[in-house]
Amino acid sequence: MHESRSTPRFIPRIGKNVKVVFGDELDAERVFGDLRSRWRDIVKKEEEAQGRDLDVGVLTDRLKGSEEVTRLRSECTRRVRAELLKVWKRMGWPDEDPKNELAGTWKEKSAKREGEMEDGSWEKDT
């Protein structure tokens, strides 16, 4: 529901149409397999540098934000967005604004965390 709507925001208004759309089945290994492999390699290098195995889900500072990890995260996000865009197009929706793909776009928006932004969009910190 739109962020400017008063409660109950999570329930559609009576008489409104609601659609739930699923895309085609995704071969995750084909789309993301190389990224998973790169991530495993990065973790293995970090474990060697630490001299021990890291527990599952434990991220060192390098695993959180090194340049290599940031590039990997950005590429993963780009691929997810590309798959979602296929569903958008199939539904007849217009392409999203290309600047939405850039991390800098969201960094600008993060200055004001919630509410109506200068560009007319709405953000909600959940």
Side-chain angles (χ1 to χ4, degrees):
M1 304 309 124
H2 196 271
E3 296 300 335
S4 64
R5 180 177 171 200
S6 61
T7 58
R9 239 189 304 235
F10 58 91
I11 300 173
R13 293 188 178 170
I14 295 173
K16 294 291 182 179
N17 293 326
V18 176
K19 284 186 183 181
V20 177
V21 180
F22 296 93
D24 296 328
E25 185 175 350
L26 183 67
D27 182 353
E29 188 57 37
R30 180 184 57 78
V31 177
F32 300 107
D34 64 315
L35 300 179
R36 288 179 179 153
S37 177
R38 285 170 47 197
W39 174 251
R40 282 189 216 109
D41 291 344
I42 293 168
V43 170
K44 186 176 181 179
K45 286 179 191 174
E46 183 64 12
E47 287 176 335
E48 289 171 0
Q50 296 280 326
R52 62 183 175 88
D53 288 345
L54 297 173
D55 292 332
V56 174
V58 173
L59 300 177
T60 62
D61 288 340
R62 183 177 177 278
L63 292 177
K64 288 179 188 175
S66 72
E67 189 174 318
E68 185 179 12
V69 170
T70 301
R71 283 193 310 268
L72 184 67
R73 187 181 308 120
S74 294
E75 176 61 20
C76 182
T77 302
R78 188 192 65 75
R79 292 183 192 186
V80 169
R81 292 179 79 87
E83 293 301 320
L84 289 171
L85 195 56
K86 291 176 185 177
V87 176
W88 277 51
K89 287 181 178 181
R90 194 176 79 208
M91 294 303 300
W93 295 339
D95 285 346
E96 69 175 357
D97 188 341
K99 72 177 182 181
N100 286 344
E101 198 171 300
L102 306 173
T105 301
W106 303 105
K107 190 173 185 178
E108 291 171 14
K109 289 188 173 193
S110 67
K112 182 178 178 188
R113 305 282 312 170
E114 212 172 280
E116 187 174 12
M117 301 292 127
E118 289 179 13
D119 65 358
S121 65
W122 282 81
E123 298 293 329
K124 174 73 175 161
D125 191 15
T126 56

